[in-house]
């Protein structure tokens, strides 16, 4: 499968390495071609990884991942070319973080909309599925915890797209995936990211992930 990942940061590289390890072809996209972080990553993939602009990457991907600065994601989608997303499964890992000089980040939006909903609105013919946004990038691929595998949460409007993303999550080493509803559930999943950050700071440990206990 060809996977186009919009982004050149830790999330894009971590997901890119996971997809490459599973045998997929991956392109990382940036605002300009030749981004040094994306190029360094691609050079270490034995030819499975490549780089390009957001537009090259969106055109390349059969599945597309959104891994850009949360509040800049709709701009990145427009730079990528909205029609390149038509009919495709889009994995949305973004969070609309608002950074301040002090303390942990908060959400720039969240009560009446969410980044997931804004992203879906920007690409109405694509099938956006929120995933990977509720844990740190170091946990994305084959997470190992003494308490067993953590839970991943997904939401989105298209059942077929969620099924595809859940299959991908299983391949990434997430056997327990909870589908919590339509794309508007991004409001809760993006809030959960803030709880994850606050928990990690409270514990001085970023090797943390959520798990629901069941009985
Ligand atoms: N860090 C984590 O562990 C983690 C975990 C889960 C979810 N997330 C979420 O995943 C996303 C990516 O996080 P990250 O830490 O890897 O990277 P990041 O620093 O949040 O974002 C880097 C990417 O955003 C692009 N970007 C920045 N400003 C832009 C603008 N004005 N217009 C268009 N694109 C712009 C950059 O483009 P260039 O390539 O051109 O520089 C780069 O590709 C974020 O939404 C974050 O909240 C992060």
């Amino acid at each position: 499968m060809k996977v186009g990942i919009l982004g050149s940061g830790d999330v894009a590289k971590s997901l890119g390495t996971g997809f490459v390890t599973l045998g997929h072809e991956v392109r990382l996209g940036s605002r300009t071609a030749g981004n040094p972080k994306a190029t360094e990553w691609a050079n270490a993939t034995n030819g499975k990884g490549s780089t390009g602009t957001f537009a090259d990457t969106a055109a390349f991907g059969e599945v597309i991942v959104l891994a850009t600065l949360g509040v800049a994601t709709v701009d990145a989608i427009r730079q990528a070319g909205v029609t390149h997303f038509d009919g495709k499964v889009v994995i949305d890992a973004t969070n609309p973080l608002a950074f301040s000089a002090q303390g942990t980040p908060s959400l720039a939006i969240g009560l009446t909309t969410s980044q997931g909903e804004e992203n879906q609105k920007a690409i109405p013919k694509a099938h956006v599925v929120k995933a990977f946004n509720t844990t740190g990038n170091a946990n994305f691929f084959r997470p190992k915890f003494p308490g067993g595998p953590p839970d991943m949460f997904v939401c989105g409007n298209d059942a077929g797209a969620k099924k595809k993303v859940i299959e991908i999550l299983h391949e990434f080493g997430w056997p327990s995936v909870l589908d919590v509803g339509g794309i508007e559930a991004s409001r809760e999943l993006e809030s959960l990211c803030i709880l994850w950050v606050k928990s990690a700071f409270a514990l001085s440990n970023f090797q943390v992930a959520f798990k629901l206990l069941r009985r």
Side-chain angles (χ1 to χ4, degrees), residues 16-40:
T17 299
F19 279 112
V20 162
T21 305
L22 293 168
H24 301 292
E25 285 177 66
V26 178
R27 180 165 297 171
L28 297 197
S30 289
R31 284 169 282 188
T32 52
N35 177 285
K37 286 189 282 183
T39 302
E40 185 185 359

Side-chain angles (χ1 to χ4, degrees), residues 108-142:
I109 51 174
L111 289 178
T112 56
T113 187
S114 59
Q115 197 59 49
E117 289 162 275
E118 295 306 306
N119 296 341
Q120 178 64 84
K121 273 188 238 165
I123 38 177
K125 293 183 181 169
H127 309 300
V128 176
V129 179
K130 198 91 199 168
F132 290 108
N133 75 303
T134 54
T135 192
N137 69 83
N139 301 319
F140 285 169
F141 193 64
R142 296 177 180 160

Side-chain angles (χ1 to χ4, degrees), residues 27 39 44 61-62 81-82 115 117 132 153 155 159 186 189 207:
R27 180 165 297 171
T39 302
E62 294 159 335
V82 167
Q115 197 59 49
E117 289 162 275
F132 290 108
F153 303 89
C155 69
S186 297
L189 297 193
Q207 304 300 313

Side-chain angles (χ1 to χ4, degrees), residues 197-215:
V197 173
K198 287 184 188 293
S199 302
F201 273 97
L203 292 164
S204 300
N205 180 3
F206 283 77
Q207 304 300 313
V208 292
F210 292 115
K211 185 169 187 67
L212 287 181
L213 300 178
R214 295 129 158 120
R215 65 185 168 93

